[in-house]
Amino acid sequence: MEMCNLTTLTEFNLVGLSSRPEDQKPLFALFLIMYLVTLMGNLLIILAICFDPQLQNPMYFFLSTLSFADICYTTVTVPKMLANFLSEMKTISYAECLAQMYFFLVFGNVDSYLLAAMAVDRYVAICNPFHYVTVMNPRHCVLLLAFSIAFSCLHSLLHVLLVNRLIFCASNVIHHFFCDVNPVLKLACSSTSVNEVVAMTEGLASVVAPFACIIVSYVRIFTAVLNIPSAAGKCKAFSTCSSHLTVVTLFYGSISYVYFRPLSSYTVKDQIATIIYTVLTSMLNPFIYSLRNNDMKRGLKKLIRRVTFEIDRLSTTKSNKICGP
């Protein structure tokens, strides 16, 4: 039996979304716009929540943290993808690839657990409103956030360490726009059975646990809302959950399509679903949470007025200095 020539890889080649030269600049422009919109939209959400005292509650604490996690989530993958659109050498070092994989998994899992925490927040607010202040106190919110970050870091470290023990030979071409777990595993010459078993057990559990928490919370919420006698009361209760449900559907729907299948069935078509939860969801979150949320609209208007006032004040001060004696 012939042994293949094993070599220690120092870098990978990222194929990206398209290998055609004429597609690179249009794709660069498209994803640059999406990335800038993501940064600006999520940053506005964070600033609006920070500067509005009326938004200092658990729901918006988790929303501001989710916006920060979304900024980090897209920053892990998109800048490298943008650089590759304009470069002939679409390479990424082995160490950089593992680092990208690690932080991608960290912020992806943080997003997942924050969505679960927000579902619990809505459940307590609607089903146990008199205990809301006690249950969702600042200490509990910080503990939920700390658990989300700690578990996500440990989960990601496990998967990256398992990838690092693999032997890569022959091809170093990753058919993706970043170092995702499945495309990298497909390049391994050594057995990936341990990686696949861990992904389908620990990995599945880490995603199913927050999703199950969301499902249980919303079953209880819908049961409580249906018992509200007035139609106006039902609409008001449902309206506080609609934005969150939209984000959950986009996020978990695309993740389930990509990851909850055998490694052998992974194809280039999965890149479209990956774009949805890595770029599109993070870009749309600020719009989803602000367009149908009167509190966020008010907070954003206050922020815009504050920024406008500061700009006018600085302009006036500068003019006075120039025209002064």
Side-chain angles (χ1 to χ4, degrees):
M1 183 176 181
E2 273 189 16
M3 297 289 292
C4 75
N5 294 324
L6 300 181
T7 57
T8 303
L9 289 181
T10 58
E11 63 181 22
F12 291 102
N13 288 320
L14 293 167
V15 171
L17 297 176
S18 174
S19 58
R20 299 193 307 172
E22 62 269 24
D23 293 338
Q24 304 307 304
K25 288 184 179 179
L27 286 172
F28 173 83
L30 173 63
F31 281 94
L32 177 61
I33 292 170
M34 292 175 71
Y35 183 55
L36 292 176
V37 170
T38 300
L39 294 182
M40 291 299 297
N42 284 288
L43 187 60
L44 283 173
I45 292 289
I46 294 170
L47 292 175
I49 292 171
C50 288
F51 289 114
D52 190 345
Q54 293 182 329
L55 298 180
Q56 303 299 314
N57 61 52
M59 175 183 174
Y60 294 108
F61 167 74
F62 289 123
L63 178 56
S64 62
T65 311
L66 179 69
S67 292
F68 177 76
D70 281 340
I71 289 173
C72 298
Y73 194 38
T74 53
T75 301
V76 170
T77 58
V78 176
K80 181 63 177 178
M81 177 172 63
L82 292 174
N84 285 343
F85 282 139
L86 302 180
S87 174
E88 292 184 5
M89 299 296 294
K90 304 177 189 299
T91 59
I92 184 170
S93 69
Y94 181 79
E96 188 182 355
C97 183
L98 291 184
Q100 187 183 59
M101 185 185 298
Y102 173 77
F103 287 108
F104 172 76
L105 291 173
V106 166
F107 292 114
N109 278 273
V110 167
D111 265 13
S112 179
Y113 279 91
L114 285 174
L115 289 173
M118 293 170 76
V120 172
D121 174 81
R122 290 300 83 206
Y123 160 71
V124 177
I126 293 173
C127 299
N128 296 290
F130 297 112
H131 296 92
Y132 182 78
V133 176
T134 305
V135 176
M136 300 303 295
N137 62 55
R139 180 174 176 271
H140 291 167
C141 292
V142 171
L143 285 174
L144 278 173
L145 177 60
F147 169 79
S148 302
I149 295 172
F151 182 85
S152 299
C153 290
L154 292 173
H155 162 83
S156 306
L157 182 62
L158 171 63
H159 285 273
V160 170
L161 289 176
L162 287 175
V163 170
N164 190 46
R165 58 181 279 277
L166 297 175
I167 297 172
F168 297 93
C169 60
S171 176
N172 69 336
V173 178
I174 299 176
H175 293 278
H176 214 336
F177 59 88
F178 73 102
C179 288
D180 200 1
V181 177
N182 285 345
V184 173
L185 289 182
K186 292 192 77 171
L187 300 181
C189 295
S190 54
S191 174
T192 60
S193 57
V194 175
N195 301 69
E196 293 183 56
V197 169
V198 171
M200 295 305 293
T201 52
E202 187 275 341
L204 185 64
S206 69
V207 176
V208 169
F211 185 66
C213 181
I214 293 170
I215 295 298
V216 171
S217 297
Y218 274 107
V219 168
R220 300 291 297 273
I221 288 170
F222 289 148
T223 303
V225 170
L226 290 175
N227 291 327
I228 297 175
S230 67
K234 290 179 181 179
C235 290
K236 185 178 179 180
F238 277 128
S239 67
T240 64
C241 304
S242 59
S243 300
H244 183 256
L245 276 174
T246 304
V247 174
V248 167
T249 302
L250 282 171
F251 185 79
Y252 280 101
S254 53
I255 279 183
S256 301
Y257 177 80
V258 174
Y259 291 106
F260 295 161
R261 295 186 298 161
L263 179 61
S264 57
S265 65
Y266 190 89
T267 64
V268 179
K269 293 180 180 179
D270 293 326
Q271 291 184 21
I272 304 300
T274 307
I275 289 171
I276 292 175
Y277 71 82
T278 56
V279 183
L280 193 62
T281 302
S282 297
M283 184 186 73
L284 293 177
N285 277 357
F287 299 100
I288 293 171
Y289 279 109
S290 60
L291 289 178
R292 297 190 63 182
N293 188 315
N294 291 327
D295 290 336
M296 276 306 309
K297 286 180 182 178
R298 187 191 64 249
L300 288 169
K301 287 177 181 177
K302 283 184 179 180
L303 177 64
I304 292 169
R305 284 198 297 267
R306 181 170 182 160
V307 172
T308 304
F309 172 78
E310 289 297 327
I311 292 173
D312 290 341
R313 185 179 66 82
L314 290 172
S315 299
T316 303
T317 304
K318 188 176 180 181
S319 298
N320 291 337
K321 285 182 179 180
I322 294 172
C323 299

